[in-house]
Amino acid sequence: MKIHKEGRRILFFTLLALLAINLLLFQFNRPAVAFNRIFAGASVVAFLILLQFFRSPARRLFTHEDLIIAPADGKVVVIEDVHEPEYFDDMRKQISIFMSPINVHITRNPISGIVRYFKYHPGNYLVAWHPKSSTKNERTTVVVESEVGPFVLFRQIAGAMARRIVWYVNEGDEVSQGEEFGFIKFGSRVDIFVPVDTEVKVQIGEKVKGGQTIIAQLKTSPASLF
């Protein structure tokens, strides 16, 4: 198990701070032995929780040109036809994945192609499952022209705990399915917008894994073997 690069600095300074506080307690608060031990135990637990958040597990990625692969670990919370106003300005099928603090928070390209649009939006920090979080929260919007033609839009959306979104793509980049396109720190959501005739392969409440779970299939001609 590797530690993601976005967490290494945070983990290093957190470890230093916890060590310093515990050393000071054991040095200058010696009579309160029970308290010092409880605080030391709590420090270990807190650091382990932070450590698991920034884990970067090895993944055997699944790729196919007309399949939409889950861009993140989490639970499917939305599947519906909606009006997408930012880029398409028409009806699209939305699939949303909620990432809890215990999920891996790496975000991956759901499909291969060329980035035709990218924009970062500063914003609020509503809880990630709130209906307005998709348009009100801090977020990024990425639109990729897939190798089979249809355009796919996906958003990183910050949640109530998140305060920073990281991205590694820009307009004009060629991206590969399953590769990392960003990271969201401390609770978040990813929305995917595809053509309304796209066949959805998951259900509300289903748990998915980034880079592995097939969540939808684009309509292509000729039809895919899938």
Side-chain angles (χ1 to χ4, degrees), residues 137 153 189 192:
N137 279 16
L153 182 153
R189 166 175 154 174
I192 306 98

Side-chain angles (χ1 to χ4, degrees), residues 60-70 109-113 144-150 152 175-179 201 211-226:
R60 180 174 292 180
L61 303 177
F62 184 89
T63 61
H64 193 273
E65 60 185 7
D66 66 353
L67 296 178
I68 308 296
I69 307 301
N109 297 304
I111 199 157
S112 297
V144 171
E145 181 181 4
S146 69
E147 293 179 340
V148 291
V152 176
V175 296
S176 297
Q177 195 172 47
E179 287 186 352
K201 301 287 190 180
Q212 293 185 330
T213 305
I214 299 169
I215 62 171
Q217 181 174 11
L218 297 169
K219 295 291 184 182
T220 58
S221 182
S224 164
L225 292 175
F226 289 85

Side-chain angles (χ1 to χ4, degrees), residues 192-216:
I192 306 98
F193 294 84
V194 292
V196 291
D197 63 354
T198 300
E199 182 180 355
V200 178
K201 301 287 190 180
V202 291
Q203 298 178 339
I204 296 287
E206 184 172 341
K207 293 182 179 180
V208 298
K209 283 195 172 184
Q212 293 185 330
T213 305
I214 299 169
I215 62 171

Side-chain angles (χ1 to χ4, degrees), residues 69-225:
I69 307 301
D73 291 14
K75 183 169 70 173
V76 178
V77 293
V78 173
I79 301 174
E80 61 182 354
D81 292 346
V82 298
H83 178 261
E84 196 295 304
E86 180 177 350
Y87 183 82
F88 297 114
D89 194 22
D90 65 10
M91 295 300 292
R92 295 278 148 167
K93 190 176 294 295
Q94 176 182 340
I95 305 168
S96 298
I97 298 169
F98 172 69
M99 307 157 70
S100 76
I102 63 172
N103 287 127
V104 174
H105 276 59
I106 297 167
T107 48
R108 301 177 182 274
N109 297 304
I111 199 157
S112 297
I114 305 295
V115 178
R116 298 302 185 193
Y117 176 84
F118 174 85
K119 188 171 183 179
Y120 168 75
H121 302 267
N124 300 322
Y125 298 98
L126 302 172
V127 289
W129 59 82
H130 193 289
K132 291 186 178 181
S133 66
S134 184
T135 56
K136 299 295 185 182
N137 279 16
E138 178 191 7
R139 64 199 181 278
T140 63
T141 301
V142 183
V143 179
V144 171
E145 181 181 4
S146 69
E147 293 179 340
V148 291
F151 283 56
V152 176
L153 182 153
F154 43 100
R155 289 195 179 102
Q156 299 170 294
I157 302 171
M161 294 175 63
R163 289 298 183 271
R164 187 170 178 228
I165 291 176
V166 181
W167 62 90
Y168 313 132
V169 298
N170 294 289
E171 285 186 24
D173 288 354
E174 183 174 355
V175 296
S176 297
Q177 195 172 47
E179 287 186 352
E180 294 183 22
F181 79 85
F183 195 97
I184 317 176
K185 299 180 179 179
F186 304 113
S188 46
R189 166 175 154 174
V190 179
D191 289 349
I192 306 98
F193 294 84
V194 292
V196 291
D197 63 354
T198 300
E199 182 180 355
V200 178
K201 301 287 190 180
V202 291
Q203 298 178 339
I204 296 287
E206 184 172 341
K207 293 182 179 180
V208 298
K209 283 195 172 184
Q212 293 185 330
T213 305
I214 299 169
I215 62 171
Q217 181 174 11
L218 297 169
K219 295 291 184 182
T220 58
S221 182
S224 164
L225 292 175

